[in-house]
Amino acid sequence: MMSTIMLALPSKGRIQEEAIAVFEKAGLPIERPGGARSYLGEMAAMPDVVVRFLSASEIARELIRGTIDIGITGEDLIHESAETGPQQVEIVKRLGFGRADAVVAVPDSWIDVTAMADLSDVAADFRARHGRWLKVATKFVNLTRRHFARHGIAEYRIVESLGATEAAPASGAADLIVDITTTGSTLRANGLRVLEDGVMLKSESLLVVARNAEWHAGKLATLNMLLQPLGAAAFS
């Protein structure tokens, strides 16, 4: 039975560089025979590891499905890709980079709204006052729905945002936002602030194993040979 496993790494940006560095530091350098634009990689030290470069969101989705065996992706994407995403994977190592908080942020002008309970009150009577539901701009639809439900907020509408989410309140496209932030400077520059209890998730890059992948003794042996020099937890 084949013992080959598939490892997926982010395909661009600083996250890709830091992910490759994790393996280099462990004595497992990754080469790209087709050049930097190639989506294929090789790990000479472990020829049974097939390396693929994919978007971080695709890595999260395919890890949950089990079509990738192991990969590096963001914790926020594991939570966002599926409601049961965290239960479908095993975090074998937290990597300490790619840190960002998923937050609920409101306009500074909402001086009486400092916590989710205040937002719940606003949402409850917003339609009566303005003739429409409260609008929340975000690309984190699932995270937002779960967090708002935990705080008993149902009277709102999500406006899906694919970029420049922080600008949505100023442009009138939304009333508040849910987004990720590292320093908060972009939020402040756009006249927004995070609610006191508005941090939904503290995210970072993770080394994750797919529970739903087909695991047999040969693949498990290859996987744990890979995990050991990385200082990651064994998987069984």
Side-chain angles (χ1 to χ4, degrees):
M1 195 170 285
M2 293 182 65
S3 57
T4 301
I5 64 170
M6 182 180 292
L7 164 69
L9 302 179
S11 58
K12 62 182 180 181
R14 185 172 178 82
I15 295 294
Q16 181 199 70
E17 296 171 5
E18 299 206 61
I20 290 175
V22 167
F23 290 89
E24 287 180 346
K25 289 176 183 175
L28 303 168
I30 293 171
E31 303 294 334
R32 302 178 80 165
R37 293 178 182 273
S38 171
Y39 292 101
L40 305 176
E42 291 181 356
M43 186 181 292
M46 290 196 64
D48 281 344
V49 177
V50 176
V51 182
R52 295 286 182 270
F53 291 91
L54 304 171
S55 70
S57 58
E58 189 175 5
I59 293 171
R61 186 177 65 243
E62 298 307 320
L63 282 166
I64 291 168
R65 290 176 176 170
T67 60
I68 292 172
D69 299 309
I70 180 172
I72 289 179
T73 190
E75 190 167 12
D76 54 335
L77 298 174
I78 291 292
H79 283 262
E80 176 61 23
S81 295
E83 185 171 356
T84 60
Q87 289 75 50
Q88 309 306 316
V89 301
E90 181 158 328
I91 301 168
V92 290
K93 188 171 185 177
R94 292 183 173 273
L95 299 174
F97 59 82
R99 288 195 170 111
D101 294 341
V103 303
V104 181
V106 301
D108 280 331
S109 58
W110 291 19
I111 56 176
D112 293 330
V113 180
T114 60
M116 290 299 295
D118 301 323
L119 188 60
S120 177
D121 293 340
V122 170
D125 65 5
F126 197 89
R127 190 172 188 181
R129 291 189 179 190
H130 301 281
R132 62 172 176 81
W133 295 113
L134 195 65
K135 293 188 289 188
V136 182
T138 187
K139 62 180 178 182
F140 297 99
V141 175
N142 293 327
L143 269 171
T144 300
R145 285 176 175 158
R146 292 197 291 272
H147 187 73
F148 277 43
R150 280 197 292 272
H151 288 274
I153 302 175
E155 299 88 353
Y156 68 97
R157 182 169 69 85
I158 285 179
V159 179
E160 289 198 54
S161 172
L162 299 178
T165 306
E166 299 92 341
S171 70
D175 301 297
L176 67 149
I177 70 167
V178 169
D179 204 2
I180 57 171
T181 181
T182 51
T183 65
S185 57
T186 304
L187 294 176
R188 289 191 292 275
N190 285 279
L192 301 169
R193 59 180 161 77
V194 179
L195 295 179
E196 292 171 354
D197 54 352
V199 177
M200 303 192 308
L201 177 71
K202 287 185 171 296
S203 178
E204 66 178 293
S205 293
L206 307 173
L207 181 61
V208 178
V209 174
R211 292 183 184 275
N212 293 327
E214 183 181 348
W215 292 110
H216 55 70
K219 283 183 65 177
L220 279 172
T222 301
L223 174 66
N224 285 311
M225 284 178 62
L226 175 66
L227 296 179
Q228 188 174 20
L230 294 166
F235 181 79
S236 58

